[in-house]
Amino acid sequence: MDATPRSAPVPRTALSRRRLIQAGGAAAAALAGPWSAAAHPARAAADPFDTLRLRWLDLLTGTGYDPTAAPYAEVLAALGGRARAVLDTMAPAAGSLWPDLPLGTDSAAVTASYVRLRTMALACAQPGTGLTGDPRTAAAVATGLDHLHAHAYTPTATAYGNWWDWQIGAPQALLDTAVLLHDRLTPAQLAGYCAAVDRQVPDGAVAAYSGTSTGANRVDLCRVLALRGVLGRSAGKLATASAALSPVFPYVLGGDGLYADGSFVQHTWVPYTGSYGEVLLGGLSRLLGLLAGSDWEVTDPRRQNVFDSVARAWAPFILNGLVMDAVCGRAVSRGVQSADQLHLQQDDHTRGHTLLGHILRLADSGAAPAGQSAAWRAAVKGWIGRDTYRPYLTDGYLDVPELARAQRLLADASVPAAAEPLGASVFGMDRAVVRRAGWAASLSLCSARTTFYETGNGEHLRGWHSNSGMLCWWGASFGNGQYSDAFWPTADPYRLPGTTVSTRPLADAAGGAWGAPRPDALWAGGACDGTYAAVGQDLRGLSSTLRGRKSWFLLDDSVVCLGAGISCADGVPVHTVVDSRNLGAAGTHALTVDGAARPTTLGLAEHFGAARSMALAGFGGYVFPGGAAVEVERRERTGSWHDINGGGATAPLTRRYLDIRIDHGTDPAGAGYHYLVMPGAGAAAAAARAAAPTVTVLANSAAAQAVRDSASGVTAANFFAPGTAGPITVSAPASVLLREAGDTLAVTVCDPSRTAATVLVTVAATGLTGAEPGPGVSVLSLDGAVSLLVETGGTAGAGRSVLLRRTTGAAAPGATVTMLAPTRDTYLRDGSSADSNYGTATTLTVKNTGTAGSGFTRRAVLGFDASAVPGTLRRAVLWVHGAVADSGGTQTTVQAFGSADGWTETAATWNRGPALGAALGTGAISSVADWVGLEVTAAVAAALPAAGGSGSLSLAVWQPPGAAGLAVVLDSRESAGHPPVLQLVTG
């Protein structure tokens, strides 16, 4: 689904990219008549390849529906109309199969030609199309397959253009068409088509999990190999496809794939849960179902990560059937494509519906645990039932199998319709979501880890500021078309809601393609306890001098928005967009400002010098505590999908907008803002909140932003540097969330900058005597104030938590933390370097090659002086910082060991170095530089004076024995970056 040089979906042409994959889902029978595994159980059971082929037909075609009933009759008739149109214009010639799709220069024409053949085969096979069983159509499909086999997708063809067409687009359409036409094709024809696929998609395409063979692309490639194995009756191909799915399942620490916190990234830098993640889930739901119970069943236990991710990764971004644009990348720009035969708009609802179909298919595959499958069915039933903006069963992008599966679900009284999931989530991919009973919102941020926006293949040309703090929100029963109704082609790209931007003009696709433009800031993310969240961003402007600090505090009925340190020297105005509401083609929604209704005159721009509250009828309210200078403008904007996507339709679209913004002037220095967004609130509620605020701002500066909410008991702070805000003091950049309830205080801490191994947090709170710390939290003191040591290194910005209690008669815990720098360190290398010393190097390299004397096995040793450490050891952690640096992969494990002492930094070598001791803690590390904490308590305890030791100790860092690893480069004590440190907690 991608393009050279980066992997990226091509623009949707005759059919959308999703439609291209799904188009095979309209066939109910083989050309000779009704054909399915259910209709021919004996044949299906007799041969494993036929069994899988017929199972694929069922997956593509659906079962148990009436083709004469709604909604199927309309879908089938439309399929027939599209097929007749391409059949009538098909004209085989030396350079083309269709005159408008010349072969030889544009690889997309190869894919599009196969897609048209598949459309014809579907119409011929499917009942109710008007071409069902038509011999002319069947013969034309066979002719077309042979023509492309001879002139384009041949067993000797050299790929040109977009790699995706050759490895995914064209072969998927070809193989699906061959399945549909199977009984009309000769063994020689099938063998020839398989040879062409082998040319472009050899087993080597999935030999390494890298490049364009990761994430969703890897699943697509496995689909090609599996279907080629089915049609070519190759057990080896099927085995390769099944095994090659395994690298998709483990959680990753960086780059493409699923993360433990629910993030999904593709193209290294782009949060893509709703686009590439949709493709991944769709492919897996099909392949797991196809191979279930066969000799090639996918049995890797790590597939459970995918099942768990349905609730953790996909569900948080699905609301009333739509999937939030925050995780759809450049797909938001596709809209209506000029070459789309369906003339349908792609938007958050159509993408969401496709995801629902995948989740339901996965539930029916039999691959997942029964309890999870039941929960998915209930969730999908609820989402379908609540999508009143674009009802699921009327979505023209859905094929017969998805419609039939959904209708069965809706008719099944034993499946309850689940309510929307509630709560808040902050993801390491610089996204956040809050979900309440009456509304939901998403935040799109960026950092050095994620892109400002992704453009490529001529798509998403003006998404420049879409990750500069864009705040999107929907009501449970209103505003569900806010971003569906031609928002992206008509919205002002300099006034996206929630963003702070320089109005400096930018060229289309400014900054570079495939996620290349990324800010140099590290701080993005925040602390979340599952219900509330503090989210922040160290703002940088794209191709701009703009700088600033932004925070959002996600509360019960509002989002509190703070900005500070906003500075710019671009010579143009800078503004923060409180909101830019899409009012539709003719909306006249009333705006009330401080109790007074304002004119709805189109084109009216108003300035309010000290506005305190506003409310937009049908949407929500806005509160400006203490009053603020606010600009309001009601205007029309006209644009086309082609303006933002090269393949988009050129028809002009006009929508009305109500813009609310805070102007910071030209070249501001240290500007800021403070406002609340209250989704669903009317004028009275907004005015009441302005008159009696529940939120107190404790800090709003470039160093810290913090609030206290009396309604929820939440105090939250984002620290961009060490400091104090309200009752909270931190020793390093951090986000802290406090939540008081009764006699408890819950504390959640994270480091969104991912720069600190540990953060010392002090909270001015008294009377607390009991503590229930979670992993990575040490309670140092509760006497007079709360003192916590929080291990933030290696958490990818995730939070650590502790629950504190006021317990009568309990003794407050007490402990001391000591952080020791190494007094010596080096690494040892075997083979020809066994007598070399590396004691003055600024890095420590470790690798277990699994081969003695290879010359590439290396391990690090570090010495510490703990002679002055007091008390009894409770916990010891060796913190090292670095990354994988190996062409063989991107993720591996490092392990700590005890080590003999008595070595010197400038003399130790492999041959004269300390012996390796007992194995200790392990940690995962990736090609993204980060801290790794290795638990070493057992080895350190014996060396401390309290245990009779001298205090001098040595530790080694290597990799688990008996298994080859990847080279890891760590900072040494001589490094100016992040030298190692030994954390000791004693008491």
Side-chain angles (χ1 to χ4, degrees):
M1 103 177 192
D2 300 313
T4 305
R6 299 285 308 151
S7 57
V10 296
R12 305 189 182 196
T13 54
L15 290 179
S16 73
R17 189 247 177 270
R18 180 198 312 150
R19 188 85 179 170
L20 186 151
I21 290 176
Q22 292 182 337
L31 294 174
W35 188 261
S36 69
H40 296 76
R43 179 173 176 181
D47 182 281
F49 300 107
D50 284 339
T51 296
L52 295 188
R53 177 171 56 82
L54 297 174
R55 186 177 292 177
W56 190 254
L57 271 176
D58 277 348
L59 282 170
L60 294 174
T61 65
T63 57
Y65 64 91
D66 179 357
T68 66
Y72 312 106
E74 182 180 357
V75 172
L76 295 169
L79 170 63
R82 296 195 304 275
R84 277 188 294 274
V86 295
L87 174 62
D88 291 344
T89 56
M90 179 176 157
S96 65
L97 186 54
W98 277 272
D100 64 325
L101 295 176
L103 305 172
T105 55
D106 183 4
S107 61
V110 180
T111 297
S113 296
Y114 275 118
V115 169
R116 290 182 182 183
L117 292 178
R118 182 168 55 182
T119 299
M120 293 159 58
L122 293 171
C124 192
Q126 193 78 333
T129 66
L131 293 176
T132 306
D134 178 47
R136 172 175 172 255
T137 305
V141 174
T143 297
L145 288 174
D146 286 341
H147 185 83
L148 293 176
H149 180 67
H151 299 286
Y153 203 78
T154 76
T156 59
T158 298
Y160 55 84
N162 189 331
W163 75 269
W164 179 87
D165 290 303
W166 297 94
Q167 293 198 322
I168 295 176
Q172 283 193 355
L174 163 61
L175 293 167
D176 281 355
T177 304
V179 167
L180 293 166
L181 204 67
H182 181 270
D183 289 356
R184 299 288 294 269
L185 299 173
T186 67
Q189 285 174 303
L190 290 170
Y193 304 154
C194 288
V197 172
D198 290 344
R199 166 74 173 178
Q200 304 300 335
V201 194
D203 289 357
V206 294
Y209 195 68
S210 61
T212 56
S213 187
T214 61
N217 293 324
R218 169 57 71 95
V219 176
D220 271 344
L221 291 167
C222 288
R223 171 175 163 174
V224 170
L225 288 169
L227 266 293
R228 182 264 179 261
V230 169
L231 286 171
R233 309 179 72 78
S234 170
K237 290 290 183 182
L238 279 160
T240 297
S242 178
L245 288 173
S246 284
V248 175
F249 300 141
Y251 293 130
V252 300
L253 297 176
D256 293 356
L258 283 165
Y259 292 68
D261 74 342
S263 297
F264 178 85
V265 171
Q266 193 85 32
H267 298 173
T268 310
W269 319 110
V270 190
Y272 249 134
T273 315
S275 181
Y276 280 86
E278 172 259 300
V279 174
L280 178 136
L281 188 61
L284 287 176
S285 68
R286 289 180 172 92
L287 288 176
L288 293 176
L290 171 69
L291 301 175
S294 74
D295 291 342
W296 307 282
E297 181 172 9
V298 180
T299 58
D300 190 326
R302 295 175 298 179
R303 66 183 184 168
Q304 184 62 43
N305 290 341
V306 176
F307 303 152
D308 294 343
S309 293
V310 172
R312 186 177 297 152
W314 283 283
F317 293 99
I318 300 174
L319 174 73
N320 291 349
L322 65 82
V323 62
M324 299 175 185
D325 285 343
V327 290
C328 294
R330 70 185 192 285
V332 303
S333 73
R334 289 172 184 154
V336 179
Q337 292 286 288
S338 60
D340 184 1
Q341 290 176 292
L342 302 177
H343 305 293
L344 295 174
Q345 178 178 290
Q346 304 168 53
D347 55 40
D348 49 4
H349 285 269
T350 59
R351 287 186 290 274
H353 292 169
T354 301
L355 263 176
L356 301 191
H358 297 338
I359 295 171
L360 193 52
R361 187 187 304 110
L362 187 63
D364 290 349
S365 71
Q372 283 183 304
S373 295
W376 299 340
R377 292 188 184 97
V380 170
K381 191 171 188 177
W383 283 321
I384 290 176
R386 286 187 295 274
D387 194 347
T388 57
Y389 177 80
R390 182 170 290 120
Y392 186 91
L393 296 180
T394 67
D395 188 340
Y397 269 115
L398 294 175
D399 285 316
V400 167
E402 286 64 52
L403 295 172
R405 197 175 286 114
Q407 276 207 327
R408 286 194 296 272
L409 174 69
L410 295 175
D412 188 347
S414 68
V415 179
E420 292 286 346
L422 303 180
S425 302
V426 178
F427 299 89
M429 60 179 175
D430 297 343
R431 296 293 184 269
V433 174
V434 58
R435 307 175 65 104
R436 301 296 184 233
W439 58 279
S442 70
L443 277 166
S444 302
L445 318 177
C446 60
S447 69
R449 300 175 295 273
T450 55
T451 182
F452 278 110
Y453 78 115
E454 188 191 53
T455 185
N457 284 338
E459 298 187 302
H460 206 27
L461 298 172
R462 299 173 187 172
W464 316 301
H465 303 302
S466 52
N467 296 329
S468 295
M470 187 171 181
L471 174 63
C472 297
W473 52 272
W474 306 259
S477 58
F478 64 89
N480 282 199
Q482 175 65 202
Y483 311 102
S484 316
D485 185 16
F487 174 84
W488 290 99
T490 61
D492 187 336
Y494 298 93
R495 293 189 186 181
L496 298 180
T499 62
T500 298
V501 303
S502 162
T503 57
R504 178 180 181 179
L506 296 173
D508 286 356
W514 311 124
R518 304 191 310 280
D520 59 4
L522 295 173
W523 211 114
C528 179
D529 66 1
T531 302
Y532 303 100
V535 184
Q537 179 179 26
D538 185 1
L539 180 69
R540 300 288 189 271
L542 173 62
S543 302
S544 167
T545 61
L546 176 67
R547 300 290 186 270
R549 301 286 165 74
K550 294 170 70 72
S551 287
W552 301 262
F553 299 96
L554 311 182
L555 302 176
D556 287 313
D557 63 0
S558 61
V559 178
V560 180
C561 308
L562 298 183
I566 299 170
S567 302
C568 189
D570 289 350
V572 297
V574 173
H575 58 229
T576 294
V577 185
V578 176
D579 209 347
S580 184
R581 283 280 111 182
N582 181 0
L583 307 182
T588 57
H589 302 67
L591 177 70
T592 301
V593 179
D594 291 334
R598 307 307 305 167
T600 59
T601 308
L602 197 61
L604 178 66
E606 296 186 279
H607 170 78
F608 299 93
R612 294 174 59 87
S613 70
M614 297 183 180
L616 182 60
F619 290 109
Y622 312 88
V623 176
F624 304 90
V630 182
E631 313 298 319
V632 174
E633 187 174 356
R634 196 181 287 265
R635 58 180 178 157
E636 278 189 337
R637 284 185 52 81
T638 298
S640 73
W641 289 106
H642 184 74
D643 293 339
I644 61 173
N645 188 302
T650 58
L653 301 164
T654 300
R655 295 295 182 268
R656 295 181 177 182
Y657 285 84
L658 191 286
D659 293 342
I660 305 172
R661 69 184 189 277
I662 297 172
D663 283 349
H664 304 300
T666 298
D667 293 344
Y673 61 81
H674 172 205
Y675 63 89
L676 282 70
V677 177
M678 299 179 65
R689 184 59 54 85
T694 62
V695 174
T696 302
V697 174
L698 304 176
N700 188 17
S701 71
Q705 295 172 318
V707 300
R708 177 184 291 118
D709 177 33
S710 61
S712 61
V714 167
T715 299
N718 290 327
F719 294 92
F720 299 94
T724 299
I728 307 168
T729 300
V730 297
S731 64
S735 179
V736 182
L737 183 73
L738 312 179
R739 183 179 177 188
E740 292 185 83
D743 65 351
T744 66
L745 175 65
V747 183
T748 302
V749 180
C750 71
D751 172 18
S753 72
R754 309 187 194 184
T755 57
T758 62
V759 179
L760 184 64
V761 180
T762 302
V763 180
T766 59
L768 296 161
T769 54
E772 300 173 20
V777 179
S778 296
V779 180
L780 304 180
S781 175
L782 297 179
D783 187 11
V786 175
S787 180
L788 309 171
L789 180 70
V790 183
E791 298 169 9
T792 55
T795 62
R800 302 283 203 181
S801 298
V802 58
L803 182 64
L804 306 172
R805 296 184 181 276
R806 293 179 174 87
T807 305
T808 303
T816 299
V817 61
T818 304
M819 306 297 282
L820 295 178
T823 57
R824 54 208 156 111
D825 65 13
T826 187
Y827 70 92
L828 318 175
R829 183 170 183 169
D830 74 347
S832 60
S833 301
D835 287 317
S836 299
N837 173 262
Y838 302 94
T840 60
T842 58
T843 58
L844 304 171
T845 305
V846 300
K847 182 175 183 178
N848 178 10
T849 65
T851 303
S854 68
F856 294 98
T857 294
R858 287 150 287 186
R859 70 172 181 263
V861 288
L862 304 94
F864 297 89
D865 179 5
S867 59
V869 174
T872 302
L873 185 67
R874 295 183 179 180
R875 178 168 172 78
V877 179
L878 174 62
W879 290 101
V880 291
H881 187 276
V884 171
D886 197 308
S887 61
T890 60
Q891 193 163 314
T892 191
T893 298
V894 291
Q895 185 166 17
F897 297 82
S899 174
D901 206 18
W903 55 276
T904 60
E905 185 175 62
T906 56
T909 66
W910 184 273
N911 286 337
R912 298 185 303 277
L916 199 65
L920 302 168
T922 63
I925 191 169
S926 77
S927 55
V928 178
D930 202 353
W931 288 101
V932 180
L934 304 174
E935 202 276 335
V936 293
T937 306
V940 175
L944 294 184
S950 66
S952 178
L953 66 104
S954 292
L955 298 169
V957 179
W958 197 36
Q959 291 172 332
L966 302 174
V968 174
V969 178
L970 305 172
D971 291 335
S972 77
R973 76 185 188 99
E974 288 86 2
S975 170
H978 300 87
V981 63
L982 180 62
Q983 164 199 320
L984 305 177
V985 179
T986 56

